[in-house]
């Protein structure tokens, strides 16, 4: 077969997408000596030199590790993040520029300290591995409190001038890296994790791919709001189809909002923290286990965490009166809507002694949030996306799919026309080429969603013009294209139409 320019590009894309290129450390810096601790819920192993996590295994399933211990040798160099690291942006109040620093940048041994009480497993002064210009002392502790594991950081302004902490992030390094693993390995070893960026009531849930027990919940310890969730783009671990990257729990994000995120609407208002000379500031996270996903809310309530449940959810059509149920050990002191008037919320009659019910209705199209303040000062944010009334949303959906996403142009190499093809909303254009063959190939999960959506819309709100287009798609592209109409594979379905199959 003679390769045309298009075929050559496609072949290169396919070959490159299949390579498993893993960033390699220039030199191992973490060291091989480990510290082992056992709590009622976890078998914890720390790297002795850095006191970051090497293993975090539940005592009930000791052969499973929530962290990527299987890659610790490859991820042992400077720049690779581990659970227990800290990122900071700090400046003196009188300065213009931020000092950027990370405990992952310099893997020299930390200064181990003698624990002052029995519940502290290990303690270290991290100041020596941070820039000399940083006007803070940073002490990290791993603690056992009751059945649970706690990570805390104590920051002290050791200068003679006020300082501002403009960004403060705790990397959340759990084993979501499936690079180079087959399905069975990923199913047994890996996790997915999802954030609720809910300020003082925020938490991270870490769920095993198998769905088996236990589920890990990371919650604030003390005043440690979950303000933002930042991707750790500077971690060298290769990202791609089988690894979306690591993220960090951001306690403060103002320095990013003023620079990299300028003009971007955040889920929560960005904040910073000012410390006077000699002032201390302590933040931390608590690690909780529960048996299954269905019991996450129960576990949070049992641990005296505020919980919100929205019915039917948090994407709210303007003609729908939704329900919001709140459970907290403290009474609700106030509820504020941002922007003002975007949401209407009314308290309902109590249904039981654990949950308080509210009716919520969206008034203004766009993003909105509720800020709930409890009697103890804890603040919880609940974000909504207010959309048009349901009937209008369905009509707009069908119109968009059969106009903006309607692909009707010569496509002699791949035969995808006419069709409803994938659309990149940020670029405001159809996706006709992509390294992931299924995205623009009209099949599999990534490529079939758009045309399936367009067909299902007709079941709810049929439109003659849209139906006519979908009939042409079925007769010309689906039958004989996506689905074989003859030969040994008749009625079989192709994974993708974005490949060359000679006649």
């Amino acid at each position: 077969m003679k390769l045309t320019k298009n075929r050559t590009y496609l072949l290169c894309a396919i070959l490159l997408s299949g390579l498993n290129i893993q960033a390699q450390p220039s030199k191992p810096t973490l060291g091989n000596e480990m510290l082992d601790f056992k709590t009622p819920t976890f078998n914890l192993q720390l790297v002795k030199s850095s006191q970051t996590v090497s293993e975090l295994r539940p005592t009930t399933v000791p052969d499973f590790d929530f962290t990527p211990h299987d890659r610790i040798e490859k991820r042992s160099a400077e720049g690779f993040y581990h659970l227990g690291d800290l990122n900071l942006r700090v400046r003196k109040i009188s300065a213009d520029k931020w000092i950027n620093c990370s405990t992952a940048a310099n893997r020299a041994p930390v200064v181990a300290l003698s624990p002052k009480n029995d519940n502290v497993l290990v303690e270290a002064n991290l100041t020596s591995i941070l820039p000399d210009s940083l006007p803070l002392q940073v002490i990290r502790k791993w603690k056992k409190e009751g059945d649970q594991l706690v990570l805390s950081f104590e920051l002290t302004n050791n200068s003679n001038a006020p300082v501002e902490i403009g960004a403060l992030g705790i990397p959340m390094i759990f084993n979501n890296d499936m690079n180079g693993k087959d399905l069975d390995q990923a199913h047994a070893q890996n996790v997915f994790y999802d954030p609720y960026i809910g300020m003082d009531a925020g938490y991270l849930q870490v769920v095993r791919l198998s769905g088996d027990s236990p589920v890990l919940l990371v919650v604030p310890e003390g005043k440690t709001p979950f303000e933002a969730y930042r991707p750790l783009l500077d971690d060298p671990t290769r990202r791609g189809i089988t690894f979306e990257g690591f993220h960090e729990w951001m306690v403060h994000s103002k320095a990013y909002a003023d620079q990299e995120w300028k003009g971007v609407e955040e889920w929560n208002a960005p904040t910073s923290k000012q410390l006077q000379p000699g002032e201390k500031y302590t933040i931390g996270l608590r690690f909780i286990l529960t048996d299954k996903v269905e019991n996450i809310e129960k576990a949070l309530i049992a641990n005296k965490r505020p919980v919100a449940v929205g019915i039917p959810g948090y994407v709210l059509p303007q003609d729908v009166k939704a329900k919001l149920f709140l459970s907290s050990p403290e009474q609700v002191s106030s509820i504020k809507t941002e922007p003002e008037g975007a949401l209407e919320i009314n308290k309902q009659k109590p249904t039981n002694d654990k949950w308080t019910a509210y009716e919520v209705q969206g008034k203004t199209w766009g993003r909105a949030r509720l800020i709930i303040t409890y009697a103890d000062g804890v603040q919880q944010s609940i974000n909504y996306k207010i959309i048009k009334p349901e009937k209008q949303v369905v009509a707009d959906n069908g119109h968009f799919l059969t106009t903006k996403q309607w692909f009707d142009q010569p496509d002699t190499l791949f035969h995808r026309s006419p069709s409803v093809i994938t659309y990149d909303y940020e670029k405001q254009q159809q996706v006709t080429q992509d390294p992931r063959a299924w995205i623009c190939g009209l099949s599999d999960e990534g490529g079939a969603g758009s045309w399936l959506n367009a067909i299902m819309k007709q079941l709810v709100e049929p439109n003659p013009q849209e139906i006519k287009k979908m009939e042409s798609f079925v007769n010309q592209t689906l039958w004989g294209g996506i689905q074989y109409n003859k030969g040994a594979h008749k009625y079989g379905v192709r994974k993708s139409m974005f490949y060359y199959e000679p006649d």
Side-chain angles (χ1 to χ4, degrees), residues 69-185:
H69 174 78
D70 54 340
R71 302 185 191 273
I72 194 165
E73 291 185 9
K74 292 182 178 181
R75 302 188 66 257
S76 65
E78 294 173 343
F80 288 90
Y81 290 97
H82 298 269
L83 193 59
D85 278 320
L86 188 72
N87 286 326
L88 288 161
R89 279 189 182 178
V90 181
R91 66 183 176 189
K92 292 186 177 180
I93 299 297
S94 57
D96 294 326
K97 293 184 177 180
W98 297 101
I99 301 170
N100 294 292
C101 54
S102 171
T103 57
N106 177 16
R107 285 304 183 193
V110 299
V111 178
L113 302 176
S114 299
K116 296 180 176 61
N117 54 60
D118 293 338
N119 72 322
V120 177
L121 302 175
V122 67
E123 182 176 347
N125 188 331
L126 309 183
T127 311
S128 62
I129 64 171
L130 296 170
D132 294 337
S133 57
L134 182 69
L136 297 176
Q137 174 184 267
V138 181
I139 304 295
R140 179 184 59 211
K141 298 178 184 178
W142 288 98
K143 298 182 287 185
K144 180 187 72 170
E145 295 195 357
D147 290 346
Q148 295 165 0
L149 180 67
V150 173
L151 166 65
S152 71
F153 297 90
E154 181 185 272
L155 291 76
T156 305
N157 179 1
N158 57 5
S159 73
N160 56 6
V163 299
E164 180 182 14
I165 302 173
L168 176 54
I170 307 172
M172 297 284 94
I173 311 302
F174 298 106
N175 196 8
N176 62 329
D177 184 355
M178 293 178 280
N179 286 335
K181 294 182 180 179
D182 62 31
L183 183 60
D184 289 337
Q185 290 172 324

